[in-house]
Structure formats: structure tokens, C-alpha cells
Amino acid sequence: MKDTELLAKQIRIHALKMTSQGGSSHIGSAFSMADIIAVLYGGAMKVDPLDPRAADRDRFLLSKGHAGAAVYAALAERGFFPVEKLSTHYQDGSDLSGHVSHKGIPGVEFSTGSLGHGLPVAAGMAKAARLKGEQHRVFALLSDGECDEGSNWEAILFAAHHQLNNLVCIIDYNKIQSLAPVAETLALEPFVDKWISFGWHVIEVDGHDHQQLKDSFLPHANSTNKPLCVLAHTTKGKGVSFMEDTVLWHYRTARDEEFNAALAELEKSA
Amino acid sequence: MRDQFIERLSEMAESDPRVMLVTGDLGFGVLNDYRRRFPSQFINAGVAEQNMTGMATGLAMEGFIVYTYSIANFTFMRCLEQIRNDAAYHEANVNVVSIGGGFSYGALGMSHHATEDLAIMRALPGLTVVSPCDNWETMEAAQALAATPGPSYLRLDKSTAGETNYPGEVFELGKARRLREGTDLTIAACGGIVDEVLQAADQLREQGIRCRVLSVHTIKPLDTAALVSAAQETGGLLTVEEHNIVGGLGSAIAETLLDSGVFVNRFRRIGLADRYSSIVGSQGYLRSKYEMDRHAIIAAVKDLLNGAAIKKAA
């Protein structure tokens, strides 16, 4: 198993334990982006657990903050804070909130939880880097349902207008949102065409294929002067057969037999 | 106030490359000189206030001192969540500048009447909320806010109270300024409507009634000490603001006095009586229409001094 694949497996196992123990939700959302997070924190992004605020670090903003468990897990596995801390997630008095928070958590760039906030802030950070002549990149990870928010489209216009090719917007396109499939809620298709017509460079990938993800995150993957959208086709609940591609596991907490079955599947995955 | 704000901001931009002005596509003519002189310290975010504020937060988190700029409610209301979750929670130096407090754009209609901004902004933890009464306070506040941690709200007004400062006066955020001395009553006010307050106080003085006048330019943090001593030394307060009566300066003062254990027999708030105005008109006309001009202030002072502690419900 490659390093990033092992990391993805660890992220899924942590996220399952964290959400089950906390009685919290969004395990399906955490699973769908676990491979993306693993590739980013497994080497695609320049980050240093020993110097989390290094000026030349790449910035990562989880805009779909409800899947924060996956980011906490990745940061812990990468050594930003002790893995043991993950067990406090969602518990009384913890600073590991259900939606991702930066306060007291080394490595978390930005707190979210209300959708549609990450990309505008990321665009501002990318603009700042450009103005200051800095070379790092800014990554924002959005859900598909989140693209209903108008604020994103304001930022999409802004980033293209300002030619922020140091900005990477990743869409976790699992095609299921809170109550129903995206296509039945507020259709996004033709989604690629929308990004292109808004002036972005688009790379479509299988969001569970680590090589495709790695390639799309290479600095030279975007040789244009446009911001980059990595449209990652994913499966909600990826990694646990009975969670995959269901609306139910957006909110449901795995307990007892479901938890044991899910954990067993994840642990034996290669 | 708007022109003085830009003037001071230009001086700041010249000496500090971190100063950044972000407009929501407003400021025609007014911003031309700034834009020409500091092209890399100016962004027109377009008519997109949510992105303007989120993006401004991103800039501020990377070290810029950002001023977002638009008129009336546009700077803070559509993008309130961006101010709360992005700028305030991340303690970003985003200074939200609203041109057109109160009825400054009175003739443009209800959408442009900024009459709930102080209440809404002061409810957000971590914000400094300022409503200057004149050009001097505007310039000093604009600069002082750059050095204040976290975000702020700066409410600018079309009207001003003229030149209220004395030579050598030092401006301090959070410190009310005493514009008139008196012991009969205190009138505490903020914004350009302080002009009406000063006219009222001067007319009252001719009639032998001497009111202390406080310009409470900083609504948050509030100058509790000045208000408590005003209550104790003058026996009561009249508050005046071009703002809804709910949640603004008057409410803040009432809260802080009670929290301090100070009880006054004479207290009244002048403001817009918890309503929207479908009537349009100049700032002066609307102040008169809604009984917050100098005549209303004089009447309220006399009423309070005649022992009427509580205004009858309308």
C-alpha cells in the first residue's frame, strides 16, 4: 500500500471512530474526500508539522467544514498534534468541533461550517500571495451541494478575473447532498462547462485514484493563467459498502453492529 | 466624512503598503485619486459583497490592513455571516466602512436607510464599532482602527457636527468626548446627528439650561466610565442616534448604566421608533419627520427636566 493510500485508510478509520463516538454525522462526506485529503497532506501540499505557520506553506481551507473529522485525522497522522486528541472530537469541552475549527488546532488554516465561505477567503489569500510575490498555493475543498451558494460564484468570477492561477478549488463531486441527489435538488450539470465558461482551467479526476489526484495537484498541472478547478468524481461513503452512494449516511452515525462491520471493512481494505 | 476618510486612507496607504481598499463597486469619482495613486492597494470586488468580505478576510489573514467600502447597508448586511464567521472569528483586520449612516441617503428609499447597523454590528463579539460625528473624528478613527486587532465597523455620515475638536486634542477609540459642559442633563449621541444635539444644547444654554454633550463615537467598546460619571454628575441622560431605537447607542448606554448599578430618574432615547421609513426625503427632513432633530431634542430635555421620567408609549 502506498503512503497516501495508507493515510487515506487511517483517515477513514479515525473518522469512523470519531463520528461514532461523538454520535455525530457526515461520515459519508468525510469518506468521499478521504483520498483527496490523504494526497494533499501526504505530499502534494507543502506543509510542515514542526512549523505549521511557515510563511511559505501551502494553504488549505476545508470549505465543506462538516467533514472536518477527516482533516483532523490527517493532521494528527502527519504529526501536527497527538493522535490521542482525536478521541475528544465532538465531546464536551473539546476544541475539535464537528465543523472544522482552527482555534487551538495546529495546521487548520480556517474555520468553516457555514457553506460558501472557503473559496472567497482562499481567493483573498491567493490574491495576497500574488501581491506579495509569494510562491505558495492556496487549496480550497468544496462539496458539490455547497456550490448552490451564490458566494462561491462571486468568488469564481473574482478568481478568474484576477487570474489567480495559484488557487486550486477542489470539488468533492459525490453527487449527493443533504436530502437527495444533487441532480434532484439544484442541478449543477453541465458542471465542467460552468467552470470553463467562468474562466477556470478544469481537470476532471477520479477522486479516489491517488495517481490522478497527485498529477492534478502538481504545480505544472496548470500551465494557464487561470485558477484551477479539480473536479473530483467521488462516491459518498467511499470505503464501506453499505454506506456508499446513499443519502442516509450523510447524517447517520454508525453504532454497534454497523460500526463493527464498517471498521472491519476498512481494516481489511488493501 | 467620506472625503476625509479617503484623504486619511491615502496618507496611510502612502506610508504603509499593507493598507488595502476594497470597494463593492461604489465610490464613483470619490475613489479616483486613491485608485490612481495606489493601484496595487485597491481592489474593486464588483457588486458581490459576500466575496468582497470573505476575500478581504483572506487578504487580512495574509497581513494586509483591509478596508471594505460600500454604501449604507451593503457593507455589512448581505455579508453579515462573512463578517462574523470569517473576519471576526479569525480576528482579521477587516475594517468595514459604510458610507451613508442613518438617513444620509434618505431620498433613495428604505433599502438605503442604514438604521439597524449599530445594533447588528455591536452584537458581534470582537468588533470595534465607531460612528464619528465630524471629519476630525472620522480621520482619527480611520487611522486608529488600523492598529486595532480584529475587525471593525466604521459608520460614516453625510452630515457632520462641524469642527468639534480643539487644537492638540488626542483621539482615542473607546473614549467619549465632552463637547459641551453642563450639569443639568447629559445628551449622549453619535454620528452626524451630533450637529442637531449641539444646536439644541446651545439654544438651551441661552434659556439657562446647561447640558453636558458627549460624542460617544465608539459604541463598542463603550466608555462606561464617562457615562456613569455623566449620570451621577448631571442626574440623567438623553441619548440621540440616527438609528432604530432598538439595540443601538441608547440601548448600549442603558445596559451599561444598569450593569454598573447606576439608576437615573431621567433617561430617554431618541431614535427611529422601531420602524422602516417608506417616506423619503433629505436627512434633515427625515430627522424632523421622525422627531429626532434639534427641536425634538430641546423638547425632550425640557420634558425630562420637568420631571417626566418616562415617555408615554406612542
Side-chain angles (χ1 to χ4, degrees):
Chain A
M1 188 177 266
K2 290 179 190 166
D3 289 350
T4 58
E5 283 164 357
L6 181 61
L7 181 56
K9 178 177 172 174
Q10 290 165 329
I11 289 170
R12 286 193 171 93
I13 290 172
H14 283 309
L16 177 71
K17 290 178 177 173
M18 290 160 74
T19 54
S20 296
Q21 185 188 341
S24 61
S25 54
H26 304 117
I27 188 64
S29 311
F31 281 0
S32 81
M33 66 177 217
D35 295 296
I36 297 167
I37 294 293
V39 170
L40 287 171
Y41 282 101
M45 279 196 307
K46 183 175 181 179
V47 290
D48 181 0
L50 299 176
D51 189 6
R53 302 291 299 165
D56 64 347
R57 72 193 184 281
D58 286 330
R59 275 65 163 167
F60 173 76
L61 293 83
L62 180 69
S63 195
K64 45 172 290 187
H66 52 280
V71 171
Y72 294 146
L75 290 170
E77 283 294 338
R78 279 297 314 271
F80 283 84
F81 55 85
V83 170
E84 294 72 42
K85 185 177 172 70
L86 294 176
S87 64
T88 69
H89 177 252
Y90 217 83
Q91 305 295 316
D92 288 349
S94 177
D95 46 13
L96 290 183
S97 50
H99 293 82
V100 75
S101 177
H102 73 290
K103 298 235 173 175
I105 315 297
V108 176
E109 202 75 48
F110 192 71
S111 300
T112 55
S114 176
L115 297 172
H117 283 253
L119 191 57
V121 176
M125 289 178 166
K127 178 71 178 172
R130 182 61 45 73
L131 287 165
K132 292 159 79 177
E134 296 172 346
Q135 298 307 309
H136 62 264
R137 291 191 293 165
V138 184
F139 295 79
L141 175 53
L142 279 63
S143 71
D144 44 14
E146 180 177 10
C147 290
D148 297 351
E149 293 281 5
S151 55
N152 286 324
W153 297 96
E154 295 180 2
I156 290 165
L157 286 170
F158 180 89
H161 180 87
H162 289 266
Q163 302 184 338
L164 301 178
N165 62 0
N166 54 349
L167 176 64
V168 182
C169 178
I170 308 155
I171 305 293
D172 177 11
Y173 195 14
N174 60 37
K175 302 169 189 72
I176 292 177
Q177 57 191 99
S178 175
L179 300 184
V182 169
E184 295 171 22
T185 307
L186 205 51
L188 292 171
E189 291 293 344
F191 204 22
V192 170
D193 295 348
K194 285 187 174 70
W195 288 92
I196 291 172
S197 69
F198 272 69
W200 284 57
H201 181 57
V202 179
I203 302 176
E204 278 187 280
V205 297
D206 174 342
H208 304 300
D209 183 318
H210 287 220
Q211 194 58 52
Q212 286 187 33
L213 287 166
K214 280 175 193 166
D215 290 345
S216 72
F217 297 148
L218 291 170
H220 64 256
N222 180 17
S223 57
T224 73
N225 60 0
K226 301 172 179 180
L228 171 63
C229 171
V230 175
L231 195 64
H233 294 278
T234 56
T235 301
K236 192 147 198 159
K238 177 72 176 180
V240 173
S241 55
F242 58 89
M243 293 183 182
E244 288 187 1
D245 213 20
T246 64
V247 173
L248 177 69
W249 286 97
H250 187 82
Y251 288 116
R252 190 174 174 89
T253 304
R255 287 209 168 93
D256 305 325
E257 283 148 37
E258 284 175 338
F259 173 79
N260 292 332
L263 188 60
E265 265 197 54
L266 291 173
E267 283 181 337
K268 76 178 180 197
S269 64
Chain B
M1 287 189 193
R2 181 191 60 188
D3 293 346
Q4 283 71 29
F5 164 73
I6 297 297
E7 182 185 330
R8 179 57 61 92
L9 196 71
S10 299
E11 293 166 14
M12 293 164 61
E14 184 138 48
S15 61
D16 190 341
R18 296 174 302 165
V19 170
M20 177 70 75
L21 175 61
V22 181
T23 178
D25 202 32
L26 284 164
F28 182 75
V30 181
L31 304 181
N32 286 357
D33 182 61
Y34 179 97
R35 184 178 195 168
R36 182 183 56 73
R37 290 174 61 196
F38 312 105
S40 64
Q41 290 167 265
F42 175 85
I43 296 172
N44 184 352
V47 193
E49 293 82 9
Q50 295 183 81
N51 180 64
M52 173 175 80
T53 306
M55 190 273 296
T57 301
L59 289 169
M61 289 178 75
E62 296 294 343
F64 285 91
I65 299 166
V66 188
Y67 291 78
T68 59
Y69 176 101
S70 191
I71 69 170
N73 298 315
F74 308 152
T75 48
F76 77 94
M77 205 173 269
R78 171 100 55 130
C79 51
L80 179 58
E81 200 179 61
Q82 277 78 12
I83 294 175
R84 178 182 184 271
N85 294 11
D86 302 352
Y89 192 63
H90 295 85
E91 299 161 51
N93 198 338
V94 175
N95 303 289
V96 177
V97 182
S98 176
I99 306 299
F103 290 130
S104 293
Y105 291 101
L108 294 182
M110 174 270 187
S111 62
H112 285 57
H113 297 165
T115 47
E116 303 88 34
D117 53 340
L118 300 177
I120 293 168
M121 289 292 96
R122 92 179 175 87
L124 297 184
L127 260 81
T128 304
V129 180
V130 184
S131 175
C133 78
D134 67 1
N135 295 336
W136 180 77
E137 284 189 0
T138 298
M139 295 172 85
E140 295 300 306
Q143 183 150 7
L145 288 171
T148 306
S152 72
Y153 179 70
L154 179 62
R155 176 202 236 217
L156 303 183
D157 207 309
K158 246 182 194 168
S159 66
T160 85
E163 292 184 19
T164 65
N165 59 307
Y166 58 81
E169 184 174 357
V170 176
F171 178 88
E172 200 177 338
L173 285 172
K175 291 287 175 206
R177 299 173 55 237
R178 212 183 279 196
L179 304 184
R180 294 288 186 273
E181 298 293 346
T183 53
D184 293 331
L185 195 75
T186 295
I187 311 177
C190 65
I193 202 166
V194 167
D195 185 41
E196 303 275 353
V197 172
L198 290 176
Q199 289 185 50
D202 292 343
Q203 285 184 33
L204 286 163
R205 186 167 302 249
E206 290 168 9
Q207 299 167 33
I209 300 170
R210 300 170 71 83
C211 291
R212 178 182 300 183
V213 175
L214 294 178
S215 169
V216 189
H217 48 73
T218 308
I219 289 86
K220 188 179 186 180
L222 197 61
D223 189 350
T224 298
L227 294 159
V228 166
S229 57
Q232 290 170 338
E233 290 160 19
T234 71
L237 285 104
L238 173 69
T239 68
V240 181
E241 60 198 305
E242 199 166 304
H243 183 274
N244 191 3
I245 205 71
V246 175
L249 177 70
S251 298
I253 290 174
E255 289 166 15
T256 204
L257 290 180
L258 284 172
D259 283 345
S260 303
V262 175
F263 302 93
V264 288
N265 291 323
R266 295 167 176 160
F267 186 83
R268 187 173 296 177
R269 295 172 295 151
I270 285 183
L272 187 62
D274 199 20
R275 57 171 298 173
Y276 304 109
S277 179
S278 55
I279 305 287
V280 304
S282 68
Q283 199 165 15
Y285 173 83
L286 290 171
R287 282 176 185 167
S288 167
K289 166 81 183 166
Y290 294 110
E291 298 181 336
M292 52 178 89
D293 65 355
R294 58 192 178 279
H295 305 297
I297 295 166
I298 289 169
V301 169
K302 288 182 175 174
D303 211 22
L304 283 172
L305 292 178
N306 286 334
I310 299 165
K311 189 178 184 181
K312 285 178 190 162

